[in-house]
Amino acid sequence: MQVGVLHNAVAPDAPSAEQDVLIQVQAVCRALRALGHHPVPFPCTLDLEDARRRLTAANPEIVFNLVEALGGSDWLSFLATGLLDALGLPYTGSPTPAMMISTHKLLTKQRLCQAGLPTPAWIIAPVPSRQPATYQSPACTAKPRPAERSAHAPPLCSAFRPEASYIVKAVAEHASFGLDEHSLIDPADESDLLARLRRTTAELKRECFAEEYIDGREFNLSVLAGPDGPEVLPPAEIDFSAFPAGKPRIVGERAKWEEESFEYTNTPRRFRFAGSERPLLDRLQALARQCWFAFGLDGYARVDFRVDPSGEPWILEVNANPCLSPDAGFAAALERASISFESAVSRILDAASGRSRSTI
């Protein structure tokens, strides 16, 4: 089968965070060839008309979608799947609505609240002519039982909490974008927090929001489509034990992309847990599965959590197209689950083929 491997075009001098998609393309193409398929890479830019012409001319039987960003923005990645929808080409991974919602962190949080799933409270800077507050629901803040959450209306506004620490993030970029120890703040008051939000928005040239910081453990749970539905792979915890006291325990840009940095070399993932941790791990796996259905995910995905000192989990992010590089977390979870990378690619293709048949 001819498989188009669609990915964002990368300049030769692009930073490692952008170059990584080429490593994913190589890994997926190797797996496809091992499975007996004929992969054809298709670099894509914001010139969607050019992409349309090339895809139409090649007419692949299916497209393996690896587009992570377009025009330098993660937020625009959904344009690639939108184009494939318009062309009627089946493709791997999550459909366009899931890509849109999960890439935009505020839309993600609204969906989590509407589904009764726990996520940290957040605040955005008011913009003239828009709502003057935030998008946090009391249902999420109080963490009532699911039956109680379902009775709540869609997310309402949340008040600033002076006792809380906040972490400032870009609204519609990957989780580590612009993130370092300076992103974690203890504002004196709400005005101080809003001023910081506006300043960071100007510095990053991206809309930012402030999320209540959960000072606890961090877990990543990968999910893979299977014949019996989504399979939640073994939970991975980020090990911050080498961090000195006072250093924020976050996975920022250095931890993800700067191989010589302290943060990169001292944030390993671990899969081994004591038997007493089983209830927590079961809870995380159940929440990851709920996210799969709440967001309409498909193929593969990852859900990131923080667990507070009381043992309560909070969902930070739902990633509809996690990195498939051999050294990334998804591949590590596959290895831990004794699933080969080729088998995972095959299951991702099967999920896309099944979705295509069901929509004919």
Side-chain angles (χ1 to χ4, degrees):
M1 179 168 64
Q2 179 172 289
V3 181
V5 181
L6 190 66
H7 65 93
N8 39 299
V10 180
D13 59 347
S16 56
E18 295 179 31
Q19 295 278 355
D20 183 74
V21 73
L22 300 181
I23 299 173
Q24 297 180 61
V25 170
Q26 293 172 1
V28 168
C29 285
R30 281 196 302 270
L32 290 170
R33 284 191 288 268
L35 292 166
H37 301 300
H38 176 56
V40 181
F42 284 91
C44 180
T45 69
L46 275 176
D47 186 351
L48 297 182
E49 177 57 28
D50 174 68
R52 183 195 68 79
R53 285 195 297 267
R54 290 186 291 117
L55 286 165
T56 300
N59 193 30
E61 295 174 65
I62 197 167
V63 174
F64 203 108
N65 177 41
L66 290 175
V67 175
E68 295 186 331
L70 288 174
S73 173
D74 295 351
W75 167 237
L76 297 177
S77 61
F78 74 88
L79 294 176
T81 53
L83 173 64
L84 296 173
D85 288 333
L87 293 175
L89 286 173
Y91 56 89
T92 62
S94 294
T96 302
M99 294 292 290
M100 286 183 64
I101 294 170
S102 62
T103 305
H104 194 287
K105 294 182 179 65
L106 300 185
L107 294 179
T108 294
K109 284 181 167 289
Q110 289 186 55
R111 176 60 60 88
L112 289 170
C113 285
Q114 289 163 350
L117 298 171
T119 188
W122 72 98
I123 290 177
I124 62 171
V127 177
S129 79
R130 292 192 196 172
Q131 293 185 18
T134 70
Y135 299 109
Q136 172 65 32
S137 168
C140 293
T141 305
K143 286 173 65 70
R145 293 187 299 275
E148 294 173 327
R149 287 198 196 112
S150 63
H152 282 274
L156 305 173
C157 299
S158 162
F160 169 77
R161 294 201 312 125
E163 69 274 19
S165 296
Y166 289 86
I167 188 164
V168 178
K169 301 179 177 181
V171 167
E173 300 295 339
H174 58 73
S176 67
F177 181 86
L179 201 66
D180 60 23
E181 63 270 20
H182 303 296
S183 303
L184 181 61
I185 58 175
D186 292 299
D189 52 32
E190 186 170 12
S191 296
D192 184 25
L193 176 60
L194 295 180
R196 173 59 184 270
L197 271 179
R198 295 188 181 97
R199 186 163 64 250
T200 306
T201 292
E203 291 169 354
L204 297 180
K205 297 182 174 59
R206 302 287 195 280
E207 182 184 5
C208 294
F209 73 108
E211 180 180 73
E212 283 199 23
Y213 175 63
I214 307 299
D215 187 11
R217 303 166 68 182
E218 183 157 333
F219 291 83
N220 310 133
L221 275 82
S222 299
V223 190
L224 176 65
D228 300 318
E231 178 181 352
V232 183
L233 304 181
E237 180 177 9
I238 303 301
D239 183 359
F240 293 108
S241 60
F243 276 39
K247 183 174 178 61
R249 299 187 170 201
I250 58 175
V251 180
E253 279 196 291
R254 288 195 295 272
K256 290 197 71 172
W257 305 113
E258 296 183 19
E259 296 185 14
E260 303 303 318
S261 69
F262 171 89
E263 290 84 355
Y264 186 96
T265 57
N266 288 281
T267 49
R269 63 184 67 89
R270 69 183 188 97
F271 291 95
R272 294 183 180 276
F273 302 95
S276 59
E277 300 263 51
R278 191 70 257 167
L280 171 61
L281 302 180
D282 288 345
R283 173 71 172 141
L284 293 173
Q285 290 181 310
L287 288 170
R289 179 181 288 270
Q290 287 178 269
C291 286
W292 179 277
F293 293 111
F295 283 78
L297 303 173
D298 203 358
Y300 62 109
R302 192 189 72 236
V303 184
D304 298 338
F305 296 86
R306 296 286 284 201
V307 175
D308 67 26
S310 71
E312 286 295 315
W314 299 84
I315 299 166
L316 298 183
E317 183 170 4
V318 177
N319 192 334
N321 60 339
C323 179
L324 293 180
S325 292
D327 63 347
F330 195 89
L334 288 173
E335 182 178 3
R336 183 68 181 174
S338 299
I339 300 172
S340 70
F341 190 78
E342 289 78 11
S343 294
V345 167
S346 180
R347 285 167 62 167
I348 292 168
L349 280 177
D350 288 346
S353 298
R355 185 174 70 217
S356 175
R357 286 193 297 270
S358 69
T359 57
I360 292 177

